[in-house]
């Protein structure tokens, strides 16, 4: 997984394309979106990442204008959108199932928005032609929607929005319906389309790899709130809380009682009686309280021979429970001999561990600075 | 061997349908056609010819009633569509769960009583000493009772009322299958209520509109009770003429010819309607 990073727009001081101020949406007594504030600078790719039911769809629908916030303000290019209908907003949305109009051909689909604006026929024809060229599908105006492949529909849906030159393009998990190979391909394609059009994209997804690969900035949403806003690297390496650490990327989670706190390094004693160390950057857990430690599978180093105790902490002797071969993402599940706890460790496919089998003994250790510790009970 | 058996099964399953078609539809119509082609030249003397059809075209009362029936039925269909579409849209798109079922049932409730009773209900409302006339007298809009019955408007009201369910059901079914996100996408792309209705909702609902229209048109055209009861003796309806020929005048030959003309008329109007809306019969009635 190699995140692509693009430079943020140079004039950061300019009015952001999209700005939310303490946006709240209540459904009866349920808070779907709770005091969410953020802004998205012009030309950037902003993702909202969260599990299903976290309120991200409600948030997106408020930006599109299909739902009105209970309180708070929503500004697009500095103008408040409260009370403005979806057909009057300078935003366009790519729907989850794309919502291409099956009763029209591709040209009519893309021209729909222009027709609503009263653009004349010849102008519509040239603009439709141009936008189809830009998304790499020239000359398909006469085709029917059902004649296109999944990826082509995707691009047509984006073209249908982009032909209107919106200030903000909203995308509601548009890759969800595609098969894996195509999804991987479309991730890269979406990112390059965004660079090509230089339009602000707001993308919601529950798939962390989509968010990590494409976004300039990602907001992790949970239970109606933003837990953290940051770049993909920030979220991955400096998660703000236990939820972000567990949701973004894979992680091994250990829970136990805090035994000692030494500066940022916290030691916990798991229920199985193993002492583990991690770094607490945000809230410092208190001694005697419950805490959780999150370790990335790739942060754990393996060796077949007993290492000399250079940093001793977090080192353990383990037996291989199973090897899950998945190419570059291969994992080994290791069981601790004394506590019986298991953890997933990334298996480098460099040849050293090719012969690793169930029942073998290996030595695992990790740098406490690579693990994150959060107080439990959030 | 297996294919022989499955073929036998196929024909066995098909036989009730064929029996129904042949004995109840094709045979009577063949008989009717034969009767319509025989001219009465004397007592128990008949000649084959188009004489009965010639009578129809030579007597203005007959073909004017024919044209009037066709026109009123088309008007009924149009009115039913205009009234039924918003109701169907409301049921299909703006309600959920129990409300939807309740509203659907409420459309159905009038059909639990016979058409005769329903039509008498309208007569109670519309007659000179009826509910509507008395109410208008009471609030002082009029000072002498008004007869609302026995005119074309009363016939239209009755026909729309008896046939609107057959418009609403296919419309609700097709509108139900319209994905809400298409309407939202329409708004998102700057569409207004009218343009979305015209470009997205109606094209999607077209099969339902056409099938509802076909059913309502045929029901109105072939309706006998409502036009006779609500229209009175001045408002002629073609089925009334057929009844007269068969029952009052004992002129089965002319009555059969009229029956065939009505069949021709409904087929022609449905055909033209399908051509105009660019739908096919299998696409509209087959779902």
């Amino acid at each position: 997984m190699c995140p692509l990073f693009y430079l943020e727009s140079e004039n950061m001081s300019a009015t952001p394309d999209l700005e939310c101020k303490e946006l709240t949406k209540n459904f009866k007594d349920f808070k779907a979106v709770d005091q969410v504030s953020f802004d998205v600078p012009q030309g950037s790719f902003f993702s909202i990442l969260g599990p299903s039911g976290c309120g991200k769809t409600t948030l997106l629908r408020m930006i599109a204008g299909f739902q009105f916030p209970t309180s708070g303000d929503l500004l697009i290019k500095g103008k408040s959108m409260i009370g403005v209908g979806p057909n009057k907003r300078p935003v366009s949305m790519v729907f989850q199932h794309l919502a291409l109009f099956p009763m029209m051909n591709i040209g009519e689909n893309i021209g729909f928005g222009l027709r609503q604006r009263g653009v004349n026929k010849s102008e519509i024809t040239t603009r439709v032609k141009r936008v189809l060229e830009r998304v790499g599908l020239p000359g398909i105006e006469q085709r029917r929607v059902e004649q296109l492949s999944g990826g082509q529909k995707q691009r047509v849906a984006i073209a249908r929005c982009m032909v209107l030159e919106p200030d903000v393009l909203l995308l509601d998990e548009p890759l969800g319906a595609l098969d894996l190979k195509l999804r991987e391909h479309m991730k890269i394609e979406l990112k390059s389309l965004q660079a090509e059009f230089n339009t602000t994209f707001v993308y919601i997804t529950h798939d962390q790899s989509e968010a990590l690969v494409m976004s300039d900035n990602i907001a992790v949403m949970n239970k109606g709130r933003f837990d953290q806003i940051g770049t993909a690297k920030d979220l991955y390496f400096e998660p703000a809380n236990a939820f972000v650490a567990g949701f973004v990327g894979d992680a091994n989670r250990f829970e136990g009682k805090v035994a000692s706190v030494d500066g940022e390094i916290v030691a916990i004693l798991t229920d199985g009686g193993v002492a583990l160390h991690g770094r607490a950057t945000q809230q410092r857990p208190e001694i005697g309280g419950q805490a959780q430690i999150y370790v990335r599978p790739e942060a754990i180093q393996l060796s077949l021979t007993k290492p000399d105790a250079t940093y001793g902490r977090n080192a353990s002797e383990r037996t291989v429970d199973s090897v899950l071969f998945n190419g570059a993402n291969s994992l080994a599940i290791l069981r601790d001999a004394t506590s019986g706890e298991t953890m997933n460790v990334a298996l480098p496919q460099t040849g050293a561990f090719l012969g690793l089998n169930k029942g073998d003994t290996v030595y695992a250790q990790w740098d406490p600075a690579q693990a994150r510790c959060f107080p439990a009970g959030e | 061997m297996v294919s022989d058996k499955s073929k036998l099964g196929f024909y066995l399953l098909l036989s009730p349908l064929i029996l129904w078609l042949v004995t109840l539809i094709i045979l009577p119509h063949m008989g009717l056609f034969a009767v319509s082609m025989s001219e009465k030249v004397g007592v128990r003397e008949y000649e084959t010819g188009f004489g009965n059809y010639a009578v129809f075209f030579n007597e203005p009362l007959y073909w004017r009633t024919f044209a009037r029936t066709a026109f009123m039925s088309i008007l009924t269909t149009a009115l039913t569509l205009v009234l039924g579409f918003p109701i169907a849209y409301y049921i299909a798109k703006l309600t959920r769960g129990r409300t939807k079922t309740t509203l659907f049932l409420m459309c159905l409730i009038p059909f639990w009583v016979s058409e005769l009773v329903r039509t008498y209900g309208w007569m109670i409302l519309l007659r000179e000493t009826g509910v509507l006339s008395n109410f208008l007298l009471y609030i002082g809009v009029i000072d002498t009772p008004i007869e609302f019955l026995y005119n074309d408007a009363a016939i239209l009201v009755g026909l729309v009322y008896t046939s609107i369910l057959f418009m609403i059901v296919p419309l609700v079914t097709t509108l139900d299958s319209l994905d809400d996100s298409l309407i939202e996408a329409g708004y998102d792309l700057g569409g207004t209520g009218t343009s979305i209705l015209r470009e997205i909702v109606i094209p999607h609902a077209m099969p339902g509109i056409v099938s509802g229209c076909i059913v309502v048109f045929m029901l109105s055209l072939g309706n006998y009770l409502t036009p006779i009861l609500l229209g009175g003796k001045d408002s002629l309806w073609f089925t009334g003429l057929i009844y007269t020929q068969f029952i009052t005048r004992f002129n089965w030959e002319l009555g059969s010819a009229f029956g065939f003309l009505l069949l021709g008329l409904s087929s022609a109007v449905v055909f033209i309607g399908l051509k105009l809306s660019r739908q096919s019969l299998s696409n509209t009635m087959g779902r």
Side-chain angles (χ1 to χ4, degrees), chain A residues 61 66 87 93 103 115-116, chain B residues 184 187-188 191 195 199:
Chain A
R61 290 173 65 81
F66 296 121
N87 49 356
M93 182 156 159
M103 59 290 280
R115 285 202 298 283
Q116 306 308 316
Chain B
E184 284 181 349
Y187 276 113
D188 188 63
S195 68
E199 295 202 41

Side-chain angles (χ1 to χ4, degrees), chain B residues 1 6 29 42 90 92 100 125 156 183 186 205 211 213 225 249:
Chain B
M1 188 63 195
S6 68
H29 274 87
Y90 185 83
K100 191 176 212 151
L125 287 176
L156 281 181
I183 299 171
S211 81
C213 284
L225 215 53
R249 311 264 305 264

Side-chain angles (χ1 to χ4, degrees), chain B residues 71-269:
Chain B
F71 175 73
M72 293 270 285
S73 296
I74 292 170
L75 198 62
T76 304
T77 310
L79 274 174
T80 314
L81 178 61
V82 169
L83 285 172
F85 196 87
I87 299 172
Y89 190 83
Y90 185 83
I91 293 175
K93 285 278 146 242
L94 305 176
T95 56
R96 296 262 173 281
R98 275 186 72 146
T99 335
K100 191 176 212 151
T101 326
T102 315
L103 285 174
F104 213 61
L105 270 177
M106 278 168 69
C107 290
L108 206 72
I109 281 171
F111 290 80
W112 287 354
V113 296
S114 85
E115 193 186 346
L116 188 67
V117 178
R118 266 179 286 144
T119 312
Y120 277 130
W122 274 105
M123 292 177 80
I124 290 170
L125 287 176
L126 296 180
R127 69 183 176 204
E128 205 173 348
T129 53
V131 176
L132 185 61
S133 179
N134 276 335
F135 175 73
L136 290 177
L137 269 178
Y138 175 74
I139 62 165
V141 177
I142 53 173
D143 34 69
T144 48
I146 291 183
E147 179 63 271
F148 290 102
L149 277 180
Y150 313 128
N151 55 36
D152 290 353
I155 297 181
L156 281 181
V157 167
L159 286 177
V160 168
Y161 180 71
T162 48
S163 53
I164 196 159
L165 181 78
F166 300 96
M167 184 63 87
I168 288 176
V169 171
L171 280 180
V172 167
T173 318
T174 46
L175 287 173
D176 239 354
S177 69
L178 175 64
D179 191 350
D180 284 347
S181 67
L182 291 184
I183 299 171
E184 284 181 349
Y187 276 113
D188 188 63
L189 295 167
T192 58
T194 31
S195 68
I196 288 166
L197 187 70
R198 199 184 61 236
E199 295 202 41
I200 298 165
V201 179
I202 291 181
H204 177 88
M206 211 55 195
I209 291 174
V210 172
S211 81
C213 284
I214 290 175
V215 172
V216 169
F217 176 76
M218 288 186 167
L219 281 176
S220 307
L221 199 69
N223 201 322
Y224 174 72
L225 215 53
T226 310
I228 299 294
L229 288 179
L230 295 178
K233 61 183 187 315
D234 294 337
S235 298
L236 285 167
W237 201 258
F238 200 67
T239 46
L241 291 188
I242 298 176
Y243 178 86
T244 313
Q245 293 306 328
F246 273 102
I247 307 296
T248 320
R249 311 264 305 264
F250 292 110
N251 192 346
W252 278 51
E253 294 75 29
L254 191 57
S256 305
F258 283 3
F260 252 85
L261 285 166
L262 198 64
L263 178 68
L265 174 70
S266 62
S267 310
V269 171

Side-chain angles (χ1 to χ4, degrees), chain A residues 290-353:
Chain A
Q290 286 293 112
Q292 294 169 340
I293 284 182
Y294 289 86
V295 196
R296 302 278 181 212
E298 71 273 18
I300 302 168
Q301 287 166 1
L302 282 185
S303 61
L304 296 171
T305 51
K306 197 175 174 84
D308 38 326
T310 39
Y311 44 80
R313 283 165 167 180
N314 298 328
S316 58
E317 180 183 327
R318 285 169 184 257
T319 47
V320 178
D321 221 31
S322 52
V323 177
L324 309 174
F325 182 78
N326 182 20
N329 303 319
S330 298
L331 287 173
I333 299 175
L334 306 181
R335 186 177 292 279
D336 190 281
T338 50
S339 67
E341 288 166 350
T342 59
M343 66 180 184
N344 296 349
V345 180
L347 217 50
Q349 294 300 306
T350 47
F353 298 100

